[in-house]
Amino acid sequence: MLLVSENARQGDPAQEQFSISELSQEFDVTTRAIRFYEDEGLLEPHRQGRQRVYSSRDRVRLKLILRGKRLGFSLSEIGDIIDMYDSEPGEVGQLQYFIEKISVRRKTLKQQRNDIEVTLKELDGIEKQCRKSMTHLDQP
Amino acid sequence: MLLVSENARQGDPAQEQFSISELSQEFDVTTRAIRFYEDEGLLEPHRQGRQRVYSSRDRVRLKLILRGKRLGFSLSEIGDIIDMYDSEPGEVGQLQYFIEKISVRRKTLKQQRNDIEVTLKELDGIEKQCRKSMTHLDQP
DNA sequence: ATTTCCGTTTACGTAAACGTCAATTAAAGC
DNA sequence: GCTTTAATTGACGTTTACGTAAACGGAAAT
């Protein structure tokens, strides 16, 4: 009998397996949400009987989903994005279409990045005003 | 009679006035949305009789609302943010609270900015792969 | 005068993204 | 064997952010 840590689902690191609750805890999302992402076609884990078994590829996809959410994209947009990541397109037309999509996505992201820079600077200004007001109130 | 451009609501640039449809067109949002933001307490334009009249301050607030939306914030979050911009807090406690809020907001924004950088780089990689595949398909 | 355009109000509808609850099933521990 | 415990499925509920339609009010153009 070999000594393995915690469970026997390791070995080839590319073949790690995860339960829904493990992923739920690691990424701090509810299992309900994870199943919902599956309903929406964003994940399709294997099954051992009825139980879902997630591969490390599934885990990466979940990571991408959550990052997309933090950036304010809808699940269907996220679906499009993820499909860009790991699909193996055969035709040139597909690739052209891909590149256009990438360009659109890039524009949105740059807009967001700009919005963030502006907002961060404004926050600096507001904070300075706050601190100024506070010292005034401290020493009247 | 003076020559004024378009309408007589100009002069002191800080006292410009706007109709709901002007703002709707300028920022490409529906009037319904603008009224909704008012229902949610994010805007409170003056009235001439029953009609809404927006000041340049209202216009700025609308701008902030839309920027917040692009960054994926909910309207209530946006409300909090905007209130930070133009409220005149009196007490030190308020200011402390403010600064904490600013710090939280800053963290979120920096997380988003990081997400964006990562995503942009990944897009670069995907696009390169695409272009590579295309040339391969071009010259078999 | 009446059509035409805004604008307003009220109300109902809806899509997205889950939350919540109930009923099962399966696996694990004692 | 029995009881927790974890996971599944299904159904319904909820919140957010508006869309859409109806019905009315005033002002302007013809």
Side-chain angles (χ1 to χ4, degrees):
Chain A
M1 217 186 199
L2 286 169
L3 263 177
V4 291
S5 70
E6 275 265 13
N7 55 44
R9 305 156 317 175
Q10 304 186 352
D12 185 346
Q15 286 196 8
E16 278 179 298
Q17 299 194 153
F18 310 89
S19 73
I20 194 169
S21 52
E22 282 173 334
L23 292 184
S24 163
Q25 285 176 30
E26 177 175 2
F27 295 115
D28 196 34
V29 287
T30 64
T31 59
R32 178 69 182 88
I34 295 179
R35 289 192 203 98
F36 182 72
Y37 301 150
E38 184 177 344
D39 286 347
E40 297 296 299
L42 301 180
L43 292 173
E44 31 181 354
H46 294 147
R47 302 283 178 136
Q48 278 177 2
R50 304 197 319 161
Q51 287 191 213
R52 293 164 171 84
V53 180
Y54 297 86
S55 67
S56 54
R57 178 173 161 279
D58 293 325
R59 206 184 76 118
V60 169
R61 289 180 72 94
L62 179 55
K63 232 185 211 171
L64 291 174
I65 293 170
L66 299 176
R67 193 166 76 201
K69 295 218 65 187
R70 287 198 302 271
L71 293 176
F73 295 116
S74 74
L75 288 185
S76 78
E77 286 176 312
I78 292 172
D80 293 350
I81 299 172
I82 292 186
D83 287 345
M84 296 194 336
Y85 278 77
D86 62 3
S87 83
E88 196 74 51
E91 305 170 26
V92 181
Q94 277 276 343
L95 292 169
Q96 264 301 353
Y97 178 63
F98 251 52
I99 289 183
E100 281 162 27
K101 272 185 129 180
I102 290 174
S103 143
V104 170
R105 186 62 54 200
R106 207 178 256 132
K107 263 184 201 160
T108 308
L109 290 172
K110 287 185 175 173
Q111 163 76 301
Q112 285 192 346
R113 193 171 53 178
N114 189 54
D115 285 337
I116 288 174
E117 291 309 322
V118 173
T119 306
L120 280 174
K121 278 181 190 163
E122 287 173 357
L123 286 184
D124 285 348
I126 294 173
E127 184 169 357
K128 269 184 194 163
Q129 278 301 330
C130 276
R131 298 202 179 281
K132 210 171 164 187
S133 301
M134 288 176 72
T135 57
H136 284 170
L137 290 174
D138 272 354
Q139 311 151 355
Chain B
M1 215 188 201
L2 286 169
L3 264 176
V4 292
S5 70
E6 274 265 11
N7 56 43
R9 303 155 318 172
Q10 305 187 352
D12 186 345
Q15 286 196 6
E16 279 178 298
Q17 300 194 152
F18 310 89
S19 73
I20 194 168
S21 52
E22 282 172 333
L23 292 185
S24 160
Q25 286 175 29
E26 178 175 2
F27 295 114
D28 197 34
V29 286
T30 65
T31 59
R32 176 70 181 87
I34 296 178
R35 290 192 202 98
F36 182 73
Y37 300 150
E38 183 176 345
D39 287 347
E40 297 296 298
L42 300 179
L43 293 173
E44 33 181 353
H46 294 148
R47 301 279 179 139
Q48 278 178 3
R50 305 196 316 162
Q51 287 193 210
R52 293 165 172 84
V53 180
Y54 297 85
S55 68
S56 53
R57 178 174 160 279
D58 293 324
R59 205 184 77 116
V60 169
R61 289 179 71 95
L62 179 55
K63 233 185 211 172
L64 291 174
I65 292 170
L66 299 177
R67 195 166 74 198
K69 295 217 65 185
R70 286 197 303 269
L71 293 177
F73 296 116
S74 74
L75 288 186
S76 79
E77 286 176 312
I78 292 172
D80 294 349
I81 299 172
I82 293 186
D83 287 346
M84 297 193 338
Y85 278 77
D86 61 3
S87 83
E88 196 75 50
E91 306 170 25
V92 181
Q94 276 276 342
L95 291 170
Q96 263 302 352
Y97 178 64
F98 249 53
I99 289 183
E100 282 161 29
K101 271 183 129 182
I102 289 175
S103 142
V104 170
R105 185 64 53 200
R106 206 178 258 133
K107 263 183 202 160
T108 308
L109 290 172
K110 286 185 175 174
Q111 162 77 299
Q112 284 192 346
R113 192 171 54 176
N114 189 53
D115 285 338
I116 288 174
E117 291 309 323
V118 173
T119 306
L120 281 174
K121 276 180 192 164
E122 287 173 355
L123 287 183
D124 285 348
I126 294 173
E127 185 169 357
K128 268 183 195 164
Q129 278 301 330
C130 274
R131 298 202 180 280
K132 209 171 161 187
S133 301
M134 287 175 73
T135 57
H136 284 171
L137 291 174
D138 273 354
Q139 310 150 357

